[in-house]
Structure formats: structure tokens, C-alpha cells
Amino acid sequence: MVWVTAPHMKNLVLGYALSRTLNRPLIVDLRDPWTYGSLWQPISGLTEKVERRWAQRILGAASLIVFTSPLTQREMEARFPGLRGKCTTITNGYSAEETAIEPLRGTGTGKFLLRHIGTLNDRRTPDVLLRALQLAIDRNPALRSTLHLEFVGDLGGSEARLFDSSVASCISARGHVSRAESLALMRGADVNVLLQTVTAGADVIAGKTFDYLASDRPILAVVDPCGGDAWLLKQFEGPAISPCADAHRAADAILALHARWTMGTLPSVKGNLAAYERRHLSQRLAEELDRCQLVPAESLSKR
């Protein structure tokens, strides 16, 4: 068989050509949406038309198509009805070896520590979070001295937004850290903040969401409530999910979590986390590949 992973259309075209040349079934592993969403950015209208035609041809020729989100699978099957029956979802996940990590507090001693780990960009803008924090402080002024929000990772040009804001005294930034340190920082936070502020292509599930779940710390998710991140978090008890367009709801969540922190009763995340362990997911992929039968040469030649 020929197994090709994307995004990048060049990979998919090459895999398609090899499948036809070698007379082997084509397995397409789509890590991101193709033909729609904020992660698909054709450079011109002509490029868009060409890619859509290639998508029809390549996906139509595939024996198996693997998606990383059930919402992406559903959207692609709606766009290409002929794909139904040969698609499956195997999400990203976490590594069990990374769960026994010593927590790293690093800052905010004695304070309610919210921590966002990851890059800020046009998909993750901090405005709604800053507005929510100000609304929460307006309702409970004590938060200004008892709450700390730390951003870990590339700020993506948001420095002025953060440090010229009305809540700048409650904010700090750590900059880029190694993966090992990021996992330790997740475990040292009182609450980990997940931020996704786009709705186009929100069916994607961020890989960081699995790391947050594995950290066994409370989660505040400011995301599209109908998107992939929310879908995953709803499989568990404990995460607080706030619509990314509603700062008031996010403020409510911050206040509720702060109250639980004050009482020492922050909610732990409960659910079947083992279903998303990478070795389990790899076994599922192996089973899917085992089920793929060789496609007769005459069938391939017609595609």
C-alpha cells in the first residue's frame, strides 16, 4: 500500500501517482482540513480550483482516508459524498511516558495561576481573554491581587495588547520553552487555558488539548463551542468551556474557578483518557490498515 500524509498537496499528488504506478491501494492521512477552513490557504483563485479538482480525484481514489477529528470527517463527507464508507477518525493523543512529570510552578506563588501554553496568532488572539479578565475583576476586585495569567510561548505580535491592557499587572510572559518544560508548566498551573478564536475550520482538535487533559489539571477552554476542541473536552467531566465570542461567559468561568480555588476544590478532569493514549491509537491505525485489501489493477487503472 501507499500511505501519504498531508497537509501539502504535493505529498498527496505524489502518493496518488505512486499508488497508480505500483498498483497498490492508497491510504490518505489528512492531518488538517483540505479545501476549506483557516488552515487551507490557496495562493490564488486558480490554485483553489486546481486543488479542489485534485481533492476530488485523490480522495476518490483512496481506499482509506484517516482524519484527526470526527467533525472534519463529517464535513469532508458532506463536501464529497462519495467518500462515505471509506473514512475513519483517529485523533491525535498523548504519550503515557509523559504523564509522570514533576510539576513546575515557576511563578504566581500564592496566587490563582492561569496559564496559556502555546503560540498566539490570528487563530488565537488574546482579546477575549483580556476582556473576560477585566470583567471578572470588575465584579470581584480582589482578583487583581490574587490572580495571575501567564503566557508561555511566542506572543505572535500581541505584546502591546497584553502589556498595554487594563489587566497588564496580572499578566506575565515566559517566552518559548522546550516541550519537556511546557509539560511540567502545565502540571504546575492551577488552571490551563485553551484559546482558539476562529470559527472557520474550528473542527480541528489542537494537539495541545490532549496534553492539557493528560496534565490532570483543570481546563478553561475559550473556544468555538461547536468545534473540535469542545467536542473532545465534552467527552470528559471537569473542563470549563466558554464560547470564544463571549467575554462575559469567560468571565463567569474565571470567577467560578477562582471560587473553587479559594475553597481548595478545583475540579479534576475525569474520563476515559486512555482511549487517547498514542499506543492505543497506533493499534487502531494498524487494525484499519490490516483491513485494507489490495485493489485490483483494473480498478486502479480507471481512477
Side-chain angles (χ1 to χ4, degrees):
M1 64 181 64
V2 176
W3 180 15
V4 58
T5 187
H8 206 298
M9 197 186 78
K10 291 179 181 178
N11 296 0
L12 294 164
V13 171
L14 177 59
Y16 170 76
L18 285 172
S19 172
R20 289 174 58 85
T21 301
L22 300 175
N23 189 29
R24 293 292 184 268
L26 176 64
I27 314 301
V28 174
D29 181 24
L30 283 181
R31 313 308 296 172
D32 290 326
W34 192 20
T35 71
Y36 73 94
S38 62
L39 294 173
W40 183 58
Q41 298 180 338
I43 61 175
S44 68
L46 177 59
T47 301
E48 179 178 344
K49 291 180 181 179
V50 169
E51 282 209 36
R52 290 187 187 278
R53 290 172 184 166
W54 271 111
Q56 187 77 48
R57 180 181 301 179
I58 293 171
L59 298 177
S63 297
L64 174 68
I65 305 168
V66 181
F67 298 95
T68 60
S69 165
L71 305 188
T72 305
Q73 177 180 339
R74 185 174 65 193
E75 178 66 26
M76 289 294 287
E77 287 176 338
R79 289 170 177 268
F80 303 95
L83 304 186
R84 293 190 177 98
K86 61 178 182 178
C87 298
T88 191
T89 293
I90 299 177
T91 66
N92 291 307
Y94 74 98
S95 175
E97 290 80 4
E98 294 178 335
T99 56
I101 295 174
E102 190 70 21
L104 176 59
R105 183 74 175 182
T107 192
T109 302
K111 293 187 176 184
F112 177 49
L113 177 58
L114 299 168
R115 182 169 271 151
H116 175 273
I117 298 178
T119 300
L120 296 179
N121 51 34
D122 57 0
R123 290 178 53 82
R124 302 182 196 95
T125 58
D127 305 73
V128 64
L129 197 54
L130 299 176
R131 176 62 177 153
L133 188 53
Q134 181 60 66
L135 289 170
I137 291 172
D138 289 345
R139 290 163 58 183
N140 181 1
L143 262 68
R144 191 174 290 277
S145 60
T146 60
L147 179 149
H148 188 82
L149 170 61
E150 182 178 49
F151 289 88
V152 180
D154 186 351
L155 298 182
S158 294
E159 290 84 353
R161 285 176 174 171
L162 298 178
F163 300 114
D164 292 341
S165 71
S166 61
V167 293
S169 62
C170 302
I171 294 174
S172 66
R174 183 175 291 260
H176 179 76
V177 299
S178 68
R179 173 167 175 76
E181 187 174 352
S182 74
L183 295 175
L185 288 167
M186 288 178 195
R187 286 155 177 79
D190 291 312
V191 174
N192 286 310
V193 178
L194 183 66
L195 183 64
Q196 296 283 5
T197 54
V198 295
T199 54
D203 47 290
V204 174
I205 303 173
K208 178 174 57 182
T209 312
F210 298 95
D211 290 330
Y212 274 10
L213 287 167
S215 74
D216 198 30
R217 301 304 302 149
I219 298 171
L220 168 59
V222 183
V223 298
D224 183 340
C226 298
D229 292 313
W231 173 87
L232 175 62
L233 293 175
K234 288 173 183 176
Q235 313 304 309
F236 297 83
E237 295 180 23
I241 301 172
S242 174
C244 59
D246 192 339
H248 289 274
R249 289 276 298 278
D252 291 342
I254 290 170
L255 288 164
L257 288 164
H258 181 266
R260 296 286 297 270
W261 171 78
T262 302
M263 295 184 291
T265 60
L266 277 172
S268 59
V269 175
K270 298 178 181 179
N272 184 19
L273 183 61
Y276 300 99
E277 203 278 323
R278 288 193 181 111
R279 278 181 289 191
H280 173 77
L281 296 169
S282 297
Q283 180 61 40
R284 283 192 53 210
L285 177 60
E287 291 169 357
E288 290 288 346
L289 295 179
D290 285 342
R291 279 195 283 268
C292 284
Q293 301 297 318
L294 289 175
V295 179
E298 59 270 20
S299 297
L300 287 172
S301 65
K302 295 177 183 178
R303 294 176 175 171

